[in-house]
Amino acid sequence: MTTTREFPVGLALVVVLVGTTLANNRFLSAQGRVDLMVAVAITALMAVGQTFVIVMKHVDLSVGSTLGLSAYFAAIAVRGTEGGGVFTVLLVGLVVGVAVGVLNGALVAVLRLPALVVTLGTLYVIKGIQAVLIGPRRISVDQLPDAVVDFGRSTVLGVPYLMWMCLLAGLAGGWFLRTQRAGRDLYAIGSNTPAARLVGIPVWRREILAFVVSGATAGLAGALYLARFGGVDANAGSGYELPVVAACVVGGVAITGGVGTVLGALLGAALLKTIGVSLSALSVPEFWQQAVNGALLLLAIAVDKVINDRRTRQVTVLQEVRV
């Protein structure tokens, strides 16, 4: 099932890369590759954490506002300092993201509130706080340490630091979901929550864990956002929510819960971002970029529905045969 979901996404990514390169030979030049990876990194990092939530049949819409708030507090922590700053930026972003994740998780797991409503509410609350704190001002690149700005621009072995951070998070997240009991519990809860409770899985603790991971990756994404753009304003993080969810769904993480991998989410993020960059390179209007992404999301949901229906019919037939 995993290969069935991920292989078409990887194949589509290769087709887009090859097709755009044939149409524009500068697309995958040395600088073009770096620019593409930088564009993918932030969305893909948040998709790692979002996978933990979606496999439990929840969704976290607060990731964009969490990114913005984390970027702001990280900027405040290093503003005007001389040297250093990268570790501080990452730590502050992580702490802010975890705090938001704990809040979301507690509201969903303890008070049994719908995740969609909770995270939509925290999205607006955080955006309001961000607007009050920042206002019309902007923390600009000349107020940040050189090390932070360089972190957003530098590469190792031709791969940007931002992408390395994303890949490390992906490896850690994929390993946890695949090998750890708590990670496997998330799939069990997403597949059948009442049954998970009956077999003794601590559902509320796992739900808090999932939202904490989602908040943590959004917080780290805020630190990367600050380094990449060299500043932050009141609009930082706006519009990231749906692309992150779309990346997961397109990558085979079932919105109905219980199915999906971090690798699929990373491929989904890479595909959607690559399509956007490719269409820009081919001078296609932004409207069509959004339309293509929306069409891919609808296609992914439709395919997931077909697969689930087929699996349900197969289970029903097997049960009837046994009877």
Side-chain angles (χ1 to χ4, degrees):
M1 184 66 68
T2 297
T3 303
T4 302
R5 290 171 179 269
E6 294 171 355
F7 178 75
V9 182
L11 181 61
L13 177 60
V14 172
V15 170
V16 172
L17 290 172
V18 173
T20 309
T21 302
L22 292 176
N24 184 343
N25 57 16
R26 292 175 297 176
F27 179 66
L28 286 183
S29 63
Q31 187 59 48
R33 291 193 299 271
V34 170
D35 292 342
L36 179 59
M37 286 186 282
V38 168
V40 169
I42 294 176
T43 300
L45 176 58
M46 289 192 287
V48 172
Q50 188 75 238
T51 301
F52 280 66
V53 176
I54 294 181
V55 295
M56 296 187 72
K57 209 182 298 185
H58 293 312
V59 65
D60 185 357
L61 295 181
S62 68
V63 290
S65 58
T66 301
L67 179 154
L69 191 66
S70 300
Y72 171 73
F73 279 114
I76 290 296
V78 298
R79 183 174 58 177
T81 60
E82 295 293 335
V86 174
F87 177 77
T88 301
V89 164
L90 294 175
L91 180 61
V92 171
L94 181 63
V95 169
V96 173
V98 167
V100 175
V102 169
L103 175 61
N104 285 333
L107 292 173
V108 172
V110 178
L111 299 183
R112 310 310 307 164
L113 300 176
L116 180 67
V117 176
V118 167
T119 57
L120 185 62
T122 52
L123 181 157
Y124 285 114
V125 169
I126 295 171
K127 290 302 292 183
I129 294 173
Q130 188 178 346
V132 170
L133 291 175
I134 303 178
R137 302 183 304 277
R138 173 181 172 82
I139 298 177
S140 56
V141 64
D142 59 333
Q143 297 175 281
L144 300 176
D146 291 339
V148 173
V149 179
D150 291 340
F151 184 77
R153 300 173 178 172
S154 300
T155 64
V156 174
L157 302 177
V159 178
Y161 285 155
L162 273 62
M163 180 55 77
W164 283 117
M165 290 286 296
C166 171
L167 294 176
L168 288 174
L171 286 173
W175 169 82
F176 183 85
L177 288 177
R178 185 178 181 86
T179 65
Q180 299 303 296
R181 178 178 177 180
R184 303 309 302 173
D185 285 349
L186 301 185
Y187 289 99
I189 295 168
S191 297
N192 193 326
T193 303
R197 287 196 175 94
L198 286 175
V199 298
I201 294 176
V203 174
W204 70 272
R205 283 191 294 180
R206 298 296 185 251
E207 287 177 329
I208 291 176
L209 169 66
F211 280 100
V212 166
V213 173
S214 181
T217 55
L220 287 175
L224 301 190
Y225 180 98
L226 178 66
R228 177 192 176 189
F229 294 104
V232 61
D233 57 24
N235 293 317
S238 296
Y240 272 97
E241 300 83 11
L242 294 184
V244 171
V245 174
C248 294
V249 175
V250 169
V253 184
I255 200 71
T256 51
V259 177
T261 65
V262 168
L263 174 60
L266 292 176
L267 287 173
L271 176 60
L272 293 182
K273 277 295 181 180
T274 300
I275 288 174
V277 175
S278 299
L279 294 178
S280 295
L282 298 176
S283 300
V284 176
E286 184 178 356
F287 166 78
W288 289 109
Q289 300 174 31
Q290 296 173 347
V292 169
N293 287 345
L296 285 175
L297 177 59
L298 292 174
L299 177 63
I301 293 174
V303 170
D304 184 64
K305 180 67 165 56
V306 170
I307 292 174
N308 284 336
D309 289 347
R310 180 179 299 175
R311 183 169 54 185
T312 301
R313 286 196 299 270
Q314 290 173 345
V315 171
T316 302
V317 170
L318 287 175
Q319 290 174 342
E320 291 175 351
V321 170
R322 290 175 181 175
V323 172

